[in-house]
mmCIF file of all heavy atoms in Angstrom:
data_model
loop_
_atom_site.group_PDB
_atom_site.id
_atom_site.type_symbol
_atom_site.label_atom_id
_atom_site.label_comp_id
_atom_site.label_asym_id
_atom_site.label_seq_id
_atom_site.Cartn_x
_atom_site.Cartn_y
_atom_site.Cartn_z
ATOM 1 N N LEU A 228 -15.824 14.339 12.114
ATOM 2 C CA LEU A 228 -16.281 14.219 13.495
ATOM 3 C C LEU A 228 -16.339 15.606 14.139
ATOM 4 O O LEU A 228 -15.504 16.458 13.871
ATOM 5 C CB LEU A 228 -15.349 13.306 14.292
ATOM 6 C CG LEU A 228 -15.330 11.851 13.817
ATOM 7 C CD1 LEU A 228 -14.198 11.082 14.488
ATOM 8 C CD2 LEU A 228 -16.669 11.176 14.097
ATOM 9 N N PRO A 229 -17.321 15.857 15.011
ATOM 10 C CA PRO A 229 -17.504 17.202 15.580
ATOM 11 C C PRO A 229 -16.377 17.565 16.546
ATOM 12 O O PRO A 229 -15.751 16.693 17.156
ATOM 13 C CB PRO A 229 -18.845 17.088 16.318
ATOM 14 C CG PRO A 229 -18.981 15.639 16.631
ATOM 15 C CD PRO A 229 -18.349 14.903 15.473
ATOM 16 N N PHE A 232 -16.367 15.969 20.009
ATOM 17 C CA PHE A 232 -15.810 14.620 20.123
ATOM 18 C C PHE A 232 -14.317 14.670 20.379
ATOM 19 O O PHE A 232 -13.783 13.902 21.196
ATOM 20 C CB PHE A 232 -16.087 13.817 18.855
ATOM 21 C CG PHE A 232 -15.236 12.583 18.749
ATOM 22 C CD1 PHE A 232 -15.555 11.440 19.466
ATOM 23 C CD2 PHE A 232 -14.081 12.567 17.961
ATOM 24 C CE1 PHE A 232 -14.746 10.307 19.399
ATOM 25 C CE2 PHE A 232 -13.278 11.449 17.888
ATOM 26 C CZ PHE A 232 -13.613 10.311 18.608
ATOM 27 N N MET A 342 -22.141 9.958 26.225
ATOM 28 C CA MET A 342 -21.863 11.253 25.610
ATOM 29 C C MET A 342 -21.361 11.081 24.184
ATOM 30 O O MET A 342 -21.741 11.835 23.281
ATOM 31 C CB MET A 342 -20.838 12.027 26.448
ATOM 32 C CG MET A 342 -20.474 13.380 25.865
ATOM 33 S SD MET A 342 -19.334 14.338 26.896
ATOM 34 C CE MET A 342 -20.460 14.965 28.142
ATOM 35 N N MET A 343 -20.532 10.083 23.957
ATOM 36 C CA MET A 343 -20.012 9.862 22.614
ATOM 37 C C MET A 343 -21.130 9.482 21.647
ATOM 38 O O MET A 343 -21.169 9.945 20.506
ATOM 39 C CB MET A 343 -18.934 8.772 22.652
ATOM 40 C CG MET A 343 -18.076 8.723 21.401
ATOM 41 S SD MET A 343 -16.658 7.638 21.630
ATOM 42 C CE MET A 343 -15.874 8.415 23.037
ATOM 43 N N ALA A 344 -22.043 8.637 22.115
ATOM 44 C CA ALA A 344 -23.176 8.282 21.264
ATOM 45 C C ALA A 344 -24.080 9.482 21.023
ATOM 46 O O ALA A 344 -24.705 9.587 19.960
ATOM 47 C CB ALA A 344 -23.969 7.138 21.906
ATOM 48 N N ASP A 345 -24.155 10.408 21.989
ATOM 49 C CA ASP A 345 -24.990 11.604 21.830
ATOM 50 C C ASP A 345 -24.440 12.560 20.784
ATOM 51 O O ASP A 345 -25.196 13.135 19.996
ATOM 52 C CB ASP A 345 -25.091 12.360 23.166
ATOM 53 C CG ASP A 345 -25.838 11.583 24.238
ATOM 54 O OD1 ASP A 345 -26.620 10.692 23.885
ATOM 55 O OD2 ASP A 345 -25.613 11.872 25.429
ATOM 56 N N ILE A 346 -23.128 12.785 20.800
ATOM 57 C CA ILE A 346 -22.547 13.885 20.017
ATOM 58 C C ILE A 346 -22.078 13.470 18.630
ATOM 59 O O ILE A 346 -21.798 14.325 17.792
ATOM 60 C CB ILE A 346 -21.375 14.538 20.779
ATOM 61 C CG1 ILE A 346 -20.233 13.540 20.978
ATOM 62 C CG2 ILE A 346 -21.839 15.096 22.108
ATOM 63 C CD1 ILE A 346 -19.046 14.106 21.735
ATOM 64 N N VAL A 347 -21.995 12.163 18.367
ATOM 65 C CA VAL A 347 -21.509 11.685 17.073
ATOM 66 C C VAL A 347 -22.682 11.148 16.265
ATOM 67 O O VAL A 347 -23.533 10.418 16.783
ATOM 68 C CB VAL A 347 -20.433 10.590 17.259
ATOM 69 C CG1 VAL A 347 -19.998 10.021 15.920
ATOM 70 C CG2 VAL A 347 -19.236 11.157 18.017
ATOM 71 N N ALA A 348 -22.725 11.494 14.996
ATOM 72 C CA ALA A 348 -23.791 11.011 14.111
ATOM 73 C C ALA A 348 -23.737 9.495 14.014
ATOM 74 O O ALA A 348 -22.657 8.891 14.075
ATOM 75 C CB ALA A 348 -23.637 11.628 12.722
ATOM 76 N N PRO A 349 -24.903 8.835 13.870
ATOM 77 C CA PRO A 349 -24.935 7.376 13.853
ATOM 78 C C PRO A 349 -23.977 6.755 12.841
ATOM 79 O O PRO A 349 -23.327 5.738 13.147
ATOM 80 C CB PRO A 349 -26.396 7.065 13.496
ATOM 81 C CG PRO A 349 -27.156 8.232 14.018
ATOM 82 C CD PRO A 349 -26.259 9.424 13.812
ATOM 83 N N GLU A 350 -23.850 7.350 11.654
ATOM 84 C CA GLU A 350 -22.998 6.750 10.635
ATOM 85 C C GLU A 350 -21.514 6.882 10.955
ATOM 86 O O GLU A 350 -20.674 6.235 10.306
ATOM 87 C CB GLU A 350 -23.286 7.381 9.271
ATOM 88 C CG GLU A 350 -22.984 8.864 9.175
ATOM 89 C CD GLU A 350 -24.162 9.743 9.553
ATOM 90 O OE1 GLU A 350 -25.123 9.212 10.186
ATOM 91 O OE2 GLU A 350 -24.140 10.945 9.231
ATOM 92 N N ASP A 351 -21.163 7.702 11.952
ATOM 93 C CA ASP A 351 -19.756 7.908 12.312
ATOM 94 C C ASP A 351 -19.361 7.227 13.617
ATOM 95 O O ASP A 351 -18.213 7.346 14.053
ATOM 96 C CB ASP A 351 -19.451 9.405 12.429
ATOM 97 C CG ASP A 351 -19.549 10.128 11.101
ATOM 98 O OD1 ASP A 351 -19.213 9.509 10.078
ATOM 99 O OD2 ASP A 351 -19.962 11.309 11.088
ATOM 100 N N ARG A 352 -20.289 6.543 14.257
ATOM 101 C CA ARG A 352 -19.986 6.013 15.590
ATOM 102 C C ARG A 352 -18.964 4.895 15.571
ATOM 103 O O ARG A 352 -18.207 4.734 16.539
ATOM 104 C CB ARG A 352 -21.281 5.550 16.268
ATOM 105 C CG ARG A 352 -22.152 6.706 16.726
ATOM 106 C CD ARG A 352 -23.435 6.229 17.347
ATOM 107 N NE ARG A 352 -24.310 7.385 17.608
ATOM 108 C CZ ARG A 352 -25.628 7.305 17.616
ATOM 109 N NH1 ARG A 352 -26.226 6.159 17.373
ATOM 110 N NH2 ARG A 352 -26.339 8.379 17.860
ATOM 111 N N VAL A 353 -18.936 4.106 14.517
ATOM 112 C CA VAL A 353 -17.927 3.052 14.436
ATOM 113 C C VAL A 353 -16.537 3.658 14.527
ATOM 114 O O VAL A 353 -15.702 3.238 15.332
ATOM 115 C CB VAL A 353 -18.082 2.253 13.122
ATOM 116 C CG1 VAL A 353 -16.921 1.278 12.957
ATOM 117 C CG2 VAL A 353 -19.403 1.504 13.103
ATOM 118 N N ALA A 355 -15.761 6.651 15.619
ATOM 119 C CA ALA A 355 -15.581 7.398 16.857
ATOM 120 C C ALA A 355 -15.171 6.478 18.006
ATOM 121 O O ALA A 355 -14.226 6.785 18.753
ATOM 122 C CB ALA A 355 -16.868 8.146 17.215
#
Side-chain angles (χ1 to χ4, degrees):
L228 295 170
F232 164 79
M342 179 177 282
M343 195 170 302
D345 294 338
I346 64 181
V347 176
E350 63 270 16
D351 293 326
R352 287 178 187 151
V353 173

